[in-house]
Coordinates of all heavy atoms in Angstrom, one line a residue:
M688 N 0.8 -1.2 0.0 CA 0.0 0.0 0.0 C 0.9 1.2 0.0 O 1.9 1.3 0.7 CB -0.9 0.0 1.3 CG -1.9 1.1 1.3 SD -2.6 1.3 3.0 CE -3.0 -0.4 3.4
L689 N 0.5 2.2 -0.8 CA 1.2 3.5 -0.8 C 1.2 4.1 0.6 O 0.2 4.2 1.3 CB 0.6 4.5 -1.8 CG 0.7 4.1 -3.3 CD1 0.0 5.2 -4.1 CD2 2.2 4.0 -3.7
E690 N 2.4 4.7 1.0 CA 2.5 5.4 2.3 C 1.8 6.8 2.2 O 1.4 7.3 3.3 CB 3.9 5.7 2.6 CG 4.7 4.4 3.1 CD 6.1 4.8 3.4 OE1 6.4 5.9 3.9 OE2 7.0 4.0 3.0
L691 N 1.7 7.3 1.0 CA 1.2 8.7 0.9 C 2.0 9.7 1.8 O 1.5 10.2 2.8 CB -0.3 8.8 1.3 CG -1.2 7.9 0.5 CD1 -2.7 8.0 1.0 CD2 -1.2 8.2 -1.0
R692 N 3.3 9.8 1.5 CA 4.2 10.6 2.3 C 3.7 12.1 2.3 O 3.2 12.5 1.3 CB 5.6 10.4 1.8 CG 6.1 9.0 1.9 CD 7.5 8.8 1.4 NE 7.8 7.3 1.4 CZ 8.9 6.8 0.9 NH1 9.7 7.6 0.3 NH2 9.1 5.5 1.0
P693 N 4.0 12.8 3.4 CA 3.3 14.0 3.6 C 3.9 15.3 3.0 O 3.3 16.3 2.9 CB 3.4 14.2 5.2 CG 4.6 13.4 5.6 CD 4.7 12.3 4.6
T694 N 5.2 15.2 2.5 CA 5.8 16.3 2.0 C 6.7 16.0 0.8 O 7.1 14.8 0.6 CB 6.7 17.0 3.0 OG1 7.7 16.0 3.4 CG2 6.0 17.5 4.2
C695 N 7.2 17.1 0.1 CA 8.2 16.9 -1.0 C 9.5 16.7 -0.3 O 9.9 17.5 0.6 CB 8.2 18.1 -1.8 SG 9.6 18.2 -3.0
E696 N 10.3 15.7 -0.7 CA 11.6 15.4 -0.1 C 12.6 16.5 -0.4 O 13.5 16.6 0.4 CB 12.1 14.0 -0.7 CG 12.9 13.3 0.2 CD 13.2 11.9 -0.4 OE1 12.3 11.0 -0.3 OE2 14.4 11.6 -0.8
H697 N 12.4 17.2 -1.5 CA 13.4 18.3 -1.8 C 13.0 19.6 -1.1 O 13.8 20.2 -0.4 CB 13.5 18.5 -3.3 CG 14.5 19.5 -3.7 ND1 15.8 19.4 -3.5 CD2 14.3 20.8 -4.3 CE1 16.5 20.5 -3.9 NE2 15.6 21.3 -4.4
C698 N 11.8 20.1 -1.4 CA 11.5 21.5 -0.9 C 10.6 21.5 0.4 O 10.3 22.5 0.9 CB 10.8 22.3 -2.0 SG 9.1 21.8 -2.4
N699 N 10.2 20.3 0.8 CA 9.4 20.1 2.0 C 8.0 20.7 1.9 O 7.3 20.9 2.9 CB 10.1 20.7 3.2 CG 9.9 19.9 4.5 OD1 9.6 18.7 4.4 ND2 10.0 20.6 5.6
K700 N 7.5 21.0 0.7 CA 6.2 21.4 0.5 C 5.2 20.3 1.0 O 5.4 19.2 0.7 CB 5.9 21.7 -1.0 CG 4.5 22.2 -1.4 CD 4.5 22.4 -2.8 CE 3.1 23.1 -3.1 NZ 3.1 23.8 -4.4
A701 N 4.1 20.8 1.6 CA 3.1 19.8 2.0 C 2.4 19.1 0.8 O 2.0 19.8 -0.1 CB 2.1 20.5 2.9
L702 N 2.3 17.8 0.9 CA 1.6 17.1 -0.2 C 0.6 16.1 0.5 O 0.8 14.9 0.6 CB 2.6 16.2 -1.0 CG 3.7 17.0 -1.8 CD1 4.8 16.1 -2.3 CD2 3.0 17.9 -2.9
P703 N -0.5 16.7 0.9 CA -1.5 15.9 1.6 C -2.1 14.8 0.7 O -1.9 14.9 -0.6 CB -2.6 16.9 2.0 CG -2.4 18.1 1.1 CD -0.9 18.1 0.8
P704 N -2.8 13.8 1.2 CA -3.3 12.7 0.4 C -4.1 13.1 -0.8 O -4.2 12.4 -1.8 CB -4.1 11.9 1.4 CG -3.5 12.1 2.7 CD -3.1 13.6 2.6
D705 N -4.8 14.3 -0.7 CA -5.6 14.7 -1.9 C -4.9 15.7 -2.8 O -5.5 16.2 -3.7 CB -6.9 15.4 -1.4 CG -6.6 16.7 -0.6 OD1 -5.4 17.0 -0.4 OD2 -7.6 17.4 -0.3
S706 N -3.5 15.8 -2.6 CA -2.8 16.7 -3.5 C -2.7 16.1 -4.9 O -2.4 15.0 -5.1 CB -1.4 16.9 -2.9 OG -0.6 17.6 -3.9
L707 N -2.9 17.0 -5.9 CA -2.7 16.6 -7.3 C -1.3 16.9 -7.8 O -0.9 16.7 -8.9 CB -3.7 17.4 -8.2 CG -5.2 17.1 -7.9 CD1 -6.1 17.9 -8.7 CD2 -5.5 15.6 -8.1
E708 N -0.4 17.5 -6.9 CA 0.9 17.8 -7.2 C 1.9 16.8 -6.8 O 3.1 16.9 -7.1 CB 1.3 19.1 -6.5 CG 0.6 20.4 -7.0 CD 1.1 21.5 -6.2 OE1 2.2 22.0 -6.4 OE2 0.3 21.9 -5.3
A709 N 1.5 15.8 -6.1 CA 2.5 14.8 -5.6 C 2.9 13.8 -6.7 O 2.1 13.4 -7.6 CB 1.8 13.9 -4.5
R710 N 4.2 13.6 -6.8 CA 4.8 12.6 -7.8 C 5.5 11.6 -7.0 O 6.2 11.9 -6.0 CB 5.7 13.4 -8.7 CG 5.0 14.5 -9.5 CD 4.0 14.0 -10.6 NE 3.4 15.0 -11.3 CZ 2.2 15.6 -11.0 NH1 1.6 15.2 -9.9 NH2 1.7 16.6 -11.8
I711 N 5.5 10.3 -7.5 CA 6.2 9.3 -6.8 C 7.0 8.5 -7.8 O 6.7 8.4 -9.0 CB 5.3 8.3 -6.1 CG1 4.2 7.7 -7.0 CG2 4.6 9.0 -4.9 CD1 3.3 6.7 -6.4
C712 N 8.2 7.9 -7.3 CA 9.0 7.1 -8.2 C 8.7 5.6 -7.9 O 7.7 5.3 -7.2 CB 10.5 7.4 -7.8 SG 11.0 6.5 -6.4
S713 N 9.5 4.7 -8.4 CA 9.2 3.3 -8.3 C 9.3 2.8 -6.9 O 8.7 1.8 -6.5 CB 10.2 2.5 -9.2 OG 11.5 2.5 -8.6
Y714 N 10.0 3.6 -6.0 CA 10.1 3.2 -4.6 C 9.3 4.1 -3.7 O 9.4 4.2 -2.5 CB 11.6 3.3 -4.1 CG 12.4 2.2 -4.5 CD1 13.2 2.2 -5.6 CD2 12.4 1.0 -3.7 CE1 14.0 1.2 -6.0 CE2 13.2 -0.1 -4.1 CZ 14.0 0.0 -5.2 OH 14.8 -1.1 -5.6
E715 N 8.4 4.9 -4.4 CA 7.6 5.9 -3.7 C 8.3 7.0 -3.1 O 7.8 7.7 -2.1 CB 6.7 5.2 -2.6 CG 5.3 5.9 -2.4 CD 4.5 5.4 -1.3 OE1 4.6 4.2 -1.0 OE2 3.7 6.2 -0.8
C716 N 9.5 7.3 -3.5 CA 10.1 8.6 -3.2 C 9.2 9.6 -3.7 O 8.7 9.5 -4.8 CB 11.5 8.7 -3.8 SG 12.6 7.3 -3.5
T717 N 8.9 10.7 -2.8 CA 7.8 11.6 -3.1 C 8.3 13.0 -3.2 O 9.0 13.5 -2.3 CB 6.8 11.4 -2.0 OG1 6.4 10.1 -1.9 CG2 5.6 12.3 -2.2
F718 N 7.9 13.6 -4.3 CA 8.3 15.0 -4.6 C 7.1 15.8 -5.2 O 6.2 15.2 -5.7 CB 9.5 15.1 -5.5 CG 10.8 14.4 -5.0 CD1 11.0 13.1 -5.2 CD2 11.7 15.2 -4.4 CE1 12.1 12.5 -4.7 CE2 12.9 14.6 -3.9 CZ 13.1 13.3 -4.0
C719 N 7.2 17.1 -5.1 CA 6.2 17.9 -5.8 C 6.4 18.0 -7.3 O 7.6 17.8 -7.7 CB 6.0 19.3 -5.1 SG 7.4 20.4 -5.5
A720 N 5.4 18.3 -8.0 CA 5.5 18.4 -9.5 C 6.6 19.4 -9.9 O 7.3 19.1 -10.9 CB 4.1 18.7 -10.1
E721 N 6.6 20.5 -9.2 CA 7.6 21.5 -9.6 C 9.0 21.1 -9.5 O 9.8 21.3 -10.3 CB 7.3 22.8 -8.8 CG 7.8 24.1 -9.4 CD 7.6 25.3 -8.5 OE1 6.4 25.5 -8.2 OE2 8.5 25.9 -8.2
C722 N 9.3 20.4 -8.4 CA 10.7 19.9 -8.2 C 11.0 18.8 -9.2 O 12.1 18.8 -9.7 CB 10.9 19.4 -6.7 SG 11.0 20.7 -5.5
V723 N 10.1 17.9 -9.5 CA 10.3 16.9 -10.4 C 10.7 17.5 -11.8 O 11.6 17.0 -12.5 CB 9.1 15.9 -10.5 CG1 9.2 15.1 -11.8 CG2 9.0 15.1 -9.3
E724 N 9.9 18.5 -12.2 CA 10.2 19.1 -13.5 C 11.4 20.0 -13.5 O 12.2 19.8 -14.4 CB 8.9 20.0 -13.8 CG 8.9 20.4 -15.3 CD 7.6 21.1 -15.7 OE1 6.6 20.6 -15.2 OE2 7.6 22.0 -16.4
N725 N 11.6 20.8 -12.5 CA 12.7 21.8 -12.6 C 14.0 21.5 -11.9 O 15.0 22.0 -12.3 CB 12.1 23.1 -12.0 CG 10.9 23.7 -12.8 OD1 10.9 23.6 -14.0 ND2 10.0 24.2 -12.0
V726 N 13.9 20.6 -10.9 CA 15.2 20.3 -10.2 C 15.6 18.8 -10.5 O 16.8 18.6 -10.8 CB 15.0 20.5 -8.7 CG1 16.2 20.1 -7.9 CG2 14.5 21.9 -8.4
L727 N 14.6 17.9 -10.5 CA 15.0 16.5 -10.6 C 15.0 16.1 -12.1 O 15.6 15.0 -12.4 CB 14.0 15.6 -9.9 CG 13.9 16.0 -8.4 CD1 12.9 15.1 -7.7 CD2 15.3 15.8 -7.7
L728 N 14.4 16.8 -13.0 CA 14.4 16.5 -14.4 C 13.9 15.1 -14.7 O 14.4 14.4 -15.5 CB 15.9 16.7 -15.0 CG 16.6 18.0 -14.5 CD1 18.0 18.0 -14.9 CD2 15.8 19.2 -15.1
N729 N 12.9 14.8 -13.9 CA 12.2 13.5 -14.0 C 13.1 12.3 -13.7 O 12.8 11.2 -14.2 CB 11.4 13.3 -15.3 CG 10.3 12.3 -15.2 OD1 9.7 12.1 -14.1 ND2 10.1 11.6 -16.2
V730 N 14.1 12.5 -12.9 CA 15.0 11.3 -12.5 C 15.0 11.4 -11.0 O 15.4 12.4 -10.3 CB 16.4 11.5 -13.0 CG1 17.3 10.4 -12.5 CG2 16.4 11.4 -14.6
C731 N 14.6 10.2 -10.3 CA 14.7 10.2 -8.9 C 16.1 10.2 -8.4 O 16.9 9.4 -8.8 CB 14.0 8.9 -8.4 SG 14.1 8.7 -6.6
P732 N 16.5 11.1 -7.4 CA 17.8 11.2 -7.0 C 18.2 9.9 -6.1 O 19.4 9.7 -5.9 CB 17.9 12.4 -6.1 CG 16.5 12.6 -5.7 CD 15.6 12.1 -6.8
N733 N 17.3 9.2 -5.6 CA 17.6 8.1 -4.8 C 17.7 6.8 -5.6 O 18.6 5.9 -5.2 CB 16.4 7.9 -3.7 CG 16.3 9.1 -2.9 OD1 17.2 9.7 -2.4 ND2 15.0 9.5 -2.7
C734 N 16.9 6.6 -6.6 CA 17.0 5.3 -7.3 C 17.1 5.4 -8.8 O 17.4 4.4 -9.5 CB 15.7 4.5 -7.0 SG 14.2 5.1 -7.8
G735 N 17.0 6.6 -9.4 CA 17.2 6.8 -10.8 C 16.0 6.5 -11.7 O 16.1 6.6 -12.9
S736 N 14.9 6.2 -11.1 CA 13.7 5.9 -11.9 C 13.0 7.2 -12.2 O 13.4 8.3 -11.7 CB 12.7 5.0 -11.2 OG 11.8 5.6 -10.4
G737 N 12.0 7.2 -13.1 CA 11.1 8.3 -13.4 C 10.0 8.5 -12.4 O 9.9 7.7 -11.4
F738 N 9.2 9.5 -12.6 CA 8.0 9.7 -11.7 C 6.7 9.6 -12.4 O 6.6 9.9 -13.6 CB 8.2 11.2 -11.1 CG 9.3 11.3 -10.2 CD1 10.6 11.7 -10.6 CD2 9.1 11.0 -8.8 CE1 11.6 11.8 -9.7 CE2 10.2 11.2 -7.9 CZ 11.4 11.5 -8.4
V739 N 5.7 9.3 -11.6 CA 4.3 9.4 -12.1 C 3.5 10.1 -11.0 O 3.9 10.2 -9.9 CB 3.7 8.0 -12.3 CG1 4.4 7.2 -13.4 CG2 3.7 7.2 -11.0
P740 N 2.3 10.7 -11.5 CA 1.4 11.3 -10.5 C 0.9 10.3 -9.5 O 0.6 9.2 -9.8 CB 0.3 11.8 -11.4 CG 0.8 11.9 -12.7 CD 1.8 10.8 -12.8
R741 N 0.9 10.7 -8.2 CA 0.4 9.9 -7.1 C -1.1 9.9 -7.1 O -1.7 10.9 -7.1 CB 1.0 10.3 -5.8 CG 0.6 9.4 -4.6 CD 1.2 9.9 -3.3 NE 0.4 11.1 -2.9 CZ 0.8 11.9 -1.8 NH1 1.9 11.6 -1.2 NH2 0.1 12.9 -1.5
P742 N -1.7 8.7 -7.1 CA -3.2 8.7 -7.1 C -3.7 9.3 -5.8 O -3.1 9.1 -4.7 CB -3.6 7.2 -7.2 CG -2.3 6.5 -7.5 CD -1.2 7.4 -7.1
V743 N -4.9 9.8 -5.8 CA -5.6 10.3 -4.6 C -6.3 9.2 -4.0 O -7.2 8.6 -4.7 CB -6.5 11.5 -5.0 CG1 -7.4 11.9 -3.8 CG2 -5.7 12.7 -5.4
R744 N -6.0 8.9 -2.7 CA -6.8 7.8 -2.0 C -8.2 8.4 -1.6 O -8.2 9.5 -1.0 CB -6.0 7.3 -0.8 CG -6.8 6.2 -0.1 CD -5.8 5.6 1.0 NE -4.6 5.0 0.3 CZ -3.5 4.7 0.9 NH1 -3.4 4.9 2.2 NH2 -2.5 4.2 0.3
P745 N -9.3 7.8 -1.9 CA -10.6 8.3 -1.6 C -10.8 8.6 -0.1 O -10.4 7.8 0.7 CB -11.6 7.3 -2.1 CG -10.8 6.5 -3.1 CD -9.4 6.5 -2.6
S746 N -11.4 9.7 0.1 CA -11.8 10.0 1.5 C -13.1 9.5 1.9 O -13.6 9.5 3.0 CB -11.8 11.6 1.8 OG -12.7 12.2 0.8
T747 N -13.8 8.9 0.9 CA -15.1 8.3 1.1 C -15.0 6.8 1.0 O -14.2 6.2 0.2 CB -16.1 8.8 -0.1 OG1 -16.2 10.2 -0.1 CG2 -17.4 8.1 0.0
N748 N -15.7 6.1 1.9 CA -15.7 4.7 2.0 C -16.6 4.1 0.9 O -17.7 3.6 1.2 CB -16.1 4.2 3.4 CG -15.9 2.7 3.6 OD1 -15.5 2.0 2.6 ND2 -16.2 2.2 4.7
W749 N -16.1 4.1 -0.3 CA -16.9 3.6 -1.4 C -17.1 2.1 -1.4 O -18.1 1.5 -1.8 CB -16.3 3.9 -2.8 CG -16.1 5.4 -3.0 CD1 -15.0 6.2 -3.0 CD2 -17.2 6.3 -3.3 NE1 -15.3 7.5 -3.3 CE2 -16.6 7.6 -3.5 CE3 -18.6 6.2 -3.4 CZ2 -17.4 8.7 -3.8 CZ3 -19.4 7.3 -3.7 CH2 -18.8 8.6 -3.9
N750 N -16.1 1.4 -0.9 CA -16.1 -0.1 -1.0 C -15.2 -0.7 0.0 O -13.9 -0.5 -0.1 CB -15.7 -0.5 -2.4 CG -15.9 -2.0 -2.7 OD1 -16.7 -2.6 -2.0 ND2 -15.2 -2.5 -3.7
G751 N -15.7 -1.5 0.9 CA -14.9 -2.4 1.7 C -13.8 -1.7 2.6 O -12.7 -2.3 2.8
D752 N -14.1 -0.6 3.1 CA -13.1 0.1 4.0 C -11.8 0.5 3.3 O -10.8 0.7 4.0 CB -12.8 -0.7 5.3 CG -14.0 -0.6 6.3 OD1 -14.8 0.3 6.2 OD2 -14.0 -1.4 7.2
N753 N -11.8 0.5 2.0 CA -10.6 0.9 1.3 C -10.6 2.4 1.1 O -10.9 2.9 0.0 CB -10.4 0.2 0.0 CG -10.3 -1.3 0.2 OD1 -9.4 -1.8 0.9 ND2 -11.1 -2.1 -0.5
F754 N -10.3 3.2 2.1 CA -10.4 4.6 2.0 C -9.5 5.3 3.1 O -8.9 4.6 3.9 CB -11.8 5.1 2.2 CG -12.4 5.1 3.6 CD1 -12.9 6.3 4.1 CD2 -12.4 4.0 4.3 CE1 -13.4 6.3 5.4 CE2 -13.0 4.0 5.6 CZ -13.4 5.2 6.2
L755 N -9.3 6.6 3.0 CA -8.4 7.3 3.8 C -8.7 7.2 5.3 O -7.8 7.3 6.1 CB -8.4 8.8 3.3 CG -7.2 9.7 3.6 CD1 -6.0 9.1 3.0 CD2 -7.5 11.1 2.9
G756 N -10.0 7.1 5.6 CA -10.4 7.0 7.0 C -9.8 5.8 7.7 O -9.4 5.9 8.9
K757 N -9.7 4.7 7.0 CA -9.0 3.5 7.6 C -7.5 3.5 7.3 O -6.8 3.0 8.2 CB -9.7 2.3 7.0 CG -9.1 1.0 7.5 CD -9.9 -0.2 7.2 CE -9.1 -1.5 7.3 NZ -8.2 -1.7 6.1
D758 N -7.1 4.0 6.2 CA -5.7 3.9 5.8 C -5.2 5.3 5.5 O -5.0 5.8 4.4 CB -5.5 3.1 4.6 CG -5.9 1.6 4.8 OD1 -5.5 1.1 5.9 OD2 -6.6 1.1 4.0
P759 N -4.9 6.1 6.6 CA -4.5 7.5 6.4 C -3.1 7.6 5.8 O -2.3 6.7 5.9 CB -4.6 8.1 7.8 CG -4.4 6.9 8.7 CD -5.0 5.7 8.0
G760 N -2.7 8.8 5.4 CA -1.4 9.0 4.8 C -0.4 9.0 6.0 O -0.7 9.2 7.1
S761 N 0.9 8.8 5.6 CA 2.0 8.8 6.5 C 2.2 10.2 7.1 O 1.9 11.2 6.4 CB 3.3 8.3 5.8 OG 4.4 8.7 6.5
V762 N 2.8 10.3 8.3 CA 3.1 11.6 8.9 C 4.6 11.7 9.0 O 5.1 12.7 9.5 CB 2.4 11.8 10.2 CG1 0.9 11.9 10.1 CG2 2.8 10.7 11.2
Q763 N 5.4 10.7 8.5 CA 6.8 10.8 8.7 C 7.4 11.6 7.6 O 7.5 11.2 6.4 CB 7.4 9.4 8.6 CG 8.8 9.3 9.1 CD 9.5 8.0 8.8 OE1 8.8 6.9 8.8 NE2 10.8 8.0 8.5
V764 N 8.0 12.8 7.9 CA 8.6 13.7 7.0 C 10.0 13.2 6.6 O 10.7 12.9 7.4 CB 8.6 15.1 7.5 CG1 9.5 16.0 6.6 CG2 7.2 15.7 7.8
R765 N 10.2 13.2 5.3 CA 11.6 12.9 4.8 C 12.0 14.1 4.0 O 11.5 14.4 2.9 CB 11.6 11.7 3.8 CG 11.1 10.4 4.5 CD 10.8 9.4 3.4 NE 10.0 8.3 4.0 CZ 10.4 7.0 4.1 NH1 11.6 6.7 3.6 NH2 9.7 6.1 4.7
H766 N 12.9 14.9 4.6 CA 13.4 16.1 3.9 C 14.9 15.9 3.6 O 15.7 16.0 4.5 CB 13.1 17.3 4.8 CG 13.4 18.6 4.1 ND1 13.8 19.7 4.8 CD2 13.4 18.9 2.8 CE1 14.0 20.7 3.9 NE2 13.8 20.3 2.7
K767 N 15.2 15.6 2.3 CA 16.6 15.3 1.9 C 16.8 16.1 0.6 O 16.8 15.5 -0.4 CB 16.8 13.8 1.7 CG 17.1 13.0 2.9 CD 17.3 11.5 2.6 CE 17.5 11.1 1.2 NZ 17.6 9.6 1.0
P768 N 17.0 17.4 0.7 CA 17.2 18.2 -0.5 C 18.4 17.7 -1.3 O 19.4 17.3 -0.8 CB 17.5 19.6 0.0 CG 17.0 19.6 1.5 CD 17.2 18.2 2.0
V769 N 18.2 17.8 -2.6 CA 19.3 17.4 -3.5 C 20.2 18.6 -3.8 O 19.7 19.8 -3.8 CB 18.8 16.8 -4.8 CG1 18.0 15.6 -4.5 CG2 18.1 17.8 -5.7
D770 N 21.4 18.4 -4.2 CA 22.3 19.5 -4.8 C 22.0 19.5 -6.3 O 22.3 18.5 -7.0 CB 23.7 19.1 -4.5 CG 24.7 20.1 -5.1 OD1 24.4 20.7 -6.2 OD2 25.8 20.3 -4.5
P771 N 21.4 20.6 -6.8 CA 20.9 20.6 -8.2 C 22.1 20.3 -9.2 O 21.9 19.7 -10.2 CB 20.4 22.0 -8.4 CG 20.0 22.4 -7.0 CD 21.0 21.8 -6.1
Q772 N 23.3 20.8 -8.9 CA 24.4 20.5 -9.8 C 24.8 19.1 -9.8 O 25.0 18.5 -10.9 CB 25.6 21.4 -9.4 CG 25.4 22.9 -9.7 CD 26.6 23.7 -9.6 OE1 27.5 23.4 -8.8 NE2 26.7 24.7 -10.4
V773 N 24.9 18.5 -8.6 CA 25.2 17.1 -8.6 C 24.1 16.3 -9.3 O 24.4 15.3 -10.0 CB 25.4 16.6 -7.1 CG1 25.5 15.1 -7.0 CG2 26.6 17.3 -6.4
H774 N 22.9 16.7 -9.0 CA 21.8 15.9 -9.6 C 21.8 16.0 -11.1 O 21.4 15.1 -11.8 CB 20.4 16.3 -9.0 CG 19.3 15.4 -9.5 ND1 19.2 14.1 -9.1 CD2 18.4 15.6 -10.5 CE1 18.2 13.6 -9.8 NE2 17.7 14.5 -10.6
Q775 N 22.1 17.2 -11.6 CA 22.1 17.4 -13.1 C 23.1 16.4 -13.7 O 22.8 15.8 -14.8 CB 22.6 18.8 -13.4 CG 22.2 19.2 -14.8 CD 22.2 20.7 -15.0 OE1 23.0 21.4 -14.3 NE2 21.5 21.2 -15.9
R776 N 24.3 16.2 -13.1 CA 25.2 15.2 -13.7 C 24.6 13.8 -13.6 O 24.7 13.0 -14.5 CB 26.6 15.3 -13.0 CG 27.4 16.5 -13.3 CD 28.8 16.4 -12.8 NE 28.9 16.4 -11.4 CZ 29.0 17.5 -10.7 NH1 28.9 18.7 -11.2 NH2 29.1 17.5 -9.4
F777 N 24.1 13.5 -12.4 CA 23.5 12.1 -12.2 C 22.4 11.9 -13.2 O 22.4 10.8 -13.9 CB 22.9 12.2 -10.8 CG 22.2 10.9 -10.3 CD1 23.0 9.7 -10.0 CD2 20.8 10.8 -10.2 CE1 22.3 8.6 -9.6 CE2 20.2 9.6 -9.8 CZ 21.0 8.5 -9.5
S778 N 21.5 12.8 -13.4 CA 20.4 12.6 -14.3 C 20.8 12.5 -15.8 O 20.3 11.7 -16.6 CB 19.3 13.6 -14.1 OG 19.8 14.9 -14.5
A779 N 21.8 13.3 -16.1 CA 22.3 13.3 -17.5 C 22.9 12.0 -17.8 O 22.7 11.4 -18.9 CB 23.3 14.4 -17.7
A780 N 23.7 11.4 -16.9 CA 24.3 10.1 -17.1 C 23.2 9.0 -17.3 O 23.3 8.2 -18.2 CB 25.2 9.7 -15.9
I781 N 22.2 9.1 -16.5 CA 21.1 8.0 -16.6 C 20.4 8.2 -17.9 O 20.0 7.2 -18.5 CB 20.2 8.2 -15.3 CG1 20.9 7.6 -14.1 CG2 18.9 7.4 -15.6 CD1 20.2 7.8 -12.8
K782 N 20.2 9.4 -18.3 CA 19.4 9.6 -19.5 C 20.1 9.2 -20.8 O 19.4 9.2 -21.8 CB 18.9 11.1 -19.6 CG 17.8 11.4 -18.6 CD 17.4 12.9 -18.6 CE 16.2 13.1 -17.8 NZ 15.7 14.5 -17.9
T783 N 21.3 8.9 -20.7 CA 22.0 8.4 -21.9 C 21.6 7.0 -22.2 O 21.9 6.4 -23.3 CB 23.6 8.4 -21.8 OG1 23.9 7.6 -20.7 CG2 24.1 9.8 -21.5
I784 N 20.9 6.3 -21.2 CA 20.5 4.9 -21.4 C 19.0 4.9 -21.6 O 18.3 5.5 -20.9 CB 20.9 4.1 -20.1 CG1 22.5 4.2 -20.0 CG2 20.5 2.7 -20.2 CD1 22.9 3.8 -18.6
P785 N 18.5 4.1 -22.6 CA 17.1 4.0 -22.8 C 16.3 3.5 -21.5 O 16.9 2.7 -20.8 CB 16.9 3.0 -23.9 CG 18.3 3.0 -24.6 CD 19.3 3.3 -23.5
P786 N 15.1 4.1 -21.3 CA 14.4 3.8 -20.0 C 14.3 2.3 -19.7 O 14.5 1.9 -18.5 CB 13.0 4.4 -20.2 CG 13.3 5.5 -21.2 CD 14.4 5.0 -22.1
H787 N 14.0 1.5 -20.7 CA 13.8 0.0 -20.3 C 15.1 -0.7 -20.1 O 15.1 -1.9 -19.8 CB 13.0 -0.6 -21.4 CG 13.7 -0.6 -22.8 ND1 13.8 0.5 -23.6 CD2 14.3 -1.6 -23.4 CE1 14.5 0.2 -24.6 NE2 14.8 -1.1 -24.6
Q788 N 16.2 -0.1 -20.3 CA 17.5 -0.7 -20.1 C 18.3 -0.2 -18.9 O 19.4 -0.6 -18.6 CB 18.4 -0.5 -21.3 CG 17.9 -1.3 -22.6 CD 18.7 -1.0 -23.8 OE1 19.7 -0.2 -23.8 NE2 18.3 -1.5 -24.9
R789 N 17.6 0.7 -18.2 CA 18.3 1.3 -17.0 C 18.3 0.3 -15.9 O 19.0 0.4 -14.9 CB 17.6 2.6 -16.6 CG 17.8 3.7 -17.6 CD 17.0 4.9 -17.2 NE 17.0 5.9 -18.3 CZ 16.2 6.9 -18.4 NH1 15.3 7.1 -17.5 NH2 16.3 7.7 -19.5
Ligands
ZN2264 ZN1 9.2 20.2 -4.1
ZN2265 ZN1 13.3 6.7 -6.1

């Protein structure tokens, strides 16, 4: 199950479970859309994968208790800002390899 981490790992912006700005990588490293686009260049600094929009977990119990009321978002903040220059080199190296071969 997704943790729904509460903030952007780079800029620490709040990303509540209903945020449409949250982006996650293959390991659920979580960043805001702006940082993914402008700082991370769509490469996760932790694992090298790309990002996708994080789904919003329903706040309504539509079916079988699968909703935010039973499974709330995480409250554990991970704030590990990247060095943009270091990351630019990291992402450039990764981007020389086709996505399915990384
Ligand atoms: Zn951010
Ligand atoms: Zn990652």
